[in-house]
Every structure is written in C-alpha cells, then in structure tokens.
Amino acid sequence: MDQSPCKACVGAWPADSYRITSLDLTDAYLNEDQFFPGWSVVVLKRHATELFELSREERGQLVEELSTVARAVSVALSAKKINYALLGNQLPHIHWHIIPRLVDDPAPSEAPWAVPHTPRSPSPDERRQRIAVIQRQLG
Amino acid sequence: MDQSPCKACVGAWPADSYRITSLDLTDAYLNEDQFFPGWSVVVLKRHATELFELSREERGQLVEELSTVARAVSVALSAKKINYALLGNQLPHIHWHIIPRLVDDPAPSEAPWAVPHTPRSPSPDERRQRIAVIQRQLG
C-alpha cells in the first residue's frame, strides 16, 4: 500500500450524504454503486486492516454491528441472501461490503465481483429513499 | 434455494483430505481451487445461512475462529492482505472464504472473483504441504 493518507481516515470516503447510521465502532453507508440495490458498507471508525489486528472485544462488537446492518438491509430490500465481504485490496481500512441479492438478481449464483456492470449511481431521491427504508429497519 | 440436501451438512463438501483443523464451531479446509495460494474456507458445523440467524455468542466465537485461521494463513503464506467473504450464493450454508493476496498476486487491487482463471487443483503433495504450513501456524 502506498504512503498517501487513508481516504477513510481523512473523511474523503464514503460521502456523508450516503450515511445510514453511526454505531459504536462503525459507520454504515449506502454504497455509491447501487447496481445491487441496497449494497451498503460498514466502515470501522479507527484504522486497522485485518481482523486479527483487533482485540477480541472489538471483533465481537464489529460482527454485531455487521450483523445488525445486514439484517436491516435484508429486511428492507426483501433479500434472498446477503453477501458479506471484507476485502481492502483498494483501500486497506476495514470496511465490510453488505450486498443483498434480490429475487430478480441478474446472476444469483455468482459473486458480486463476477458480474461485470457499469456502476449505478442513485439519483438524490433514490439515495434518500433507500437510506430511509434501511434506517427504518434499524429502529 | 432448492430442496436437495445441503452438501456441507451431509459431508459431501469440502473433501476430508483438504481439512486443516477442526475448531469449536467450525472446520477449516484448504480450498480445492488454489489459484490464490493458501485460499481456505472456514465452514460452520451447524446449518445456518445468515450471520443474523446466529446467537450473539455464536457470532463472537465464529469471528474468533475466522480471525485465528486468517492469521495462520496470512503468516504461513506471507500475505500482503487477507480477503474475507461469506457469500453462500451457490451453497447457502455459512462458510467463509479466506483468500490471501501475495506479493506476486496477478491483480492485487481486484476482488478475487474479478480475476478470471481456470481453477487450480493442487497435487496431493502440494495439498499436504500447504495444509501443513498453515497447521504449523495454528500451533
């Protein structure tokens, strides 16, 4: 990884207008690419790159927050399956992708990254509505 | 998903010869495709499909076991980064992919599923050696 400052740490990503909620250790955002409707990201507030760099307590809390947001996304979008991924190949700061796979998924048996597509930015109205339905499930 | 019996539950996948270790809630195996050397899977012993179907205690223990195996794989393969994914699009039984990305990775900034490749089965010797180096890190 290079020496440039971490985009997540300096607040350059994700955009504030995509925020769903702020939890104890993480912030949850709608993903800027909504090709898979409801695609969200759960970003650790502090900088770390691997699960095994965290304390046991942090890992436990992180997976609770991941699960809480995943359930909300699943119910809000009536997902058939949730895909969870912590990659960090482009941005090595712990962030989970939560990708709901819906009944009309274009390639239901494939990993999201095996489905070539043009990124789909939501309109401001779509963005706000999608964030709101997920927030409603978070209570 | 369909009504056929779950391959993980009936012991039809993964193959026993790929087993690395058995932990409290999970079994860890080397993945049959070794295109990314060290690619491993951590399979929940009981049947569940989503993180939010587990109890809080199970989730905490699951992430501990995921982290333990990921660290062992990382050290054994001198990985630059670990990718973690729980997909279940083909087999909806909780199993984590642990994919080490090495210094000579063919596409270091891409997700594993965005790298088209022919699956690479290890020879029996390669398989045993790779399992052994990971086991050594598990102590």
Side-chain angles (χ1 to χ4, degrees), chain A:
Chain A
M1 331 282 181
D2 63 22
Q3 295 304 304
S4 51
C6 170
K7 271 170 42 174
C9 290
V10 300
W13 177 89
D16 252 358
S17 57
Y18 281 78
R19 189 190 307 260
I20 298 168
T21 192
S22 183
L23 300 167
D24 187 10
L25 298 187
T26 62
D27 291 297
Y29 298 86
L30 198 67
N31 189 51
E32 289 178 25
D33 176 6
Q34 286 290 296
F35 175 77
F36 294 101
W39 186 344
S40 299
V41 286
V42 171
V43 185
L44 190 67
K45 291 180 183 178
R46 83 166 178 93
H47 188 83
T49 64
E50 300 290 355
L51 283 181
F52 48 85
E53 294 170 12
L54 305 180
S55 70
R56 184 179 181 122
E57 290 65 36
E58 283 177 309
R59 269 193 300 276
Q61 180 61 26
L62 177 64
V63 78
E64 283 313 292
E65 298 181 12
L66 173 62
S67 176
T68 297
V69 178
R71 183 205 294 266
V73 168
S74 180
V75 176
L77 279 294
S78 304
K80 280 188 70 177
K81 183 74 193 75
I82 296 291
N83 292 168
Y84 315 71
L86 165 49
L87 305 178
N89 303 314
Q90 293 178 17
L91 180 66
H93 175 122
I94 287 180
H95 62 282
W96 288 94
H97 292 270
I98 294 176
I99 304 164
R101 310 300 296 263
L102 311 187
V103 285
D104 61 351
D105 193 283
S109 65
E110 300 300 327
W113 296 274
V115 186
H117 66 270
T118 306
R120 219 185 123 218
S121 292
S123 70
D125 268 3
E126 264 185 320
R127 185 188 75 227
R128 281 187 288 263
Q129 281 172 21
R130 204 156 282 165
I131 289 172
V133 296
I134 299 169
Q135 285 172 332
R136 208 139 50 218
Q137 293 303 327
L138 288 165

Side-chain angles (χ1 to χ4, degrees), chain B residues 12-77:
Chain B
W13 178 89
D16 252 358
S17 57
Y18 281 78
R19 190 191 307 260
I20 299 168
T21 193
S22 182
L23 299 167
D24 187 11
L25 297 186
T26 63
D27 291 297
Y29 299 85
L30 198 67
N31 189 52
E32 289 177 26
D33 176 6
Q34 286 290 298
F35 175 77
F36 294 100
W39 186 345
S40 300
V41 286
V42 170
V43 185
L44 190 66
K45 291 180 184 178
R46 83 167 179 94
H47 189 82
T49 63
E50 300 289 355
L51 283 181
F52 47 85
E53 294 170 12
L54 305 179
S55 70
R56 184 181 182 121
E57 291 65 35
E58 283 177 308
R59 268 192 301 276
Q61 181 62 24
L62 177 64
V63 77
E64 283 313 293
E65 297 181 12
L66 173 64
S67 176
T68 296
V69 178
R71 184 206 294 266
V73 168
S74 180
V75 176
L77 278 294

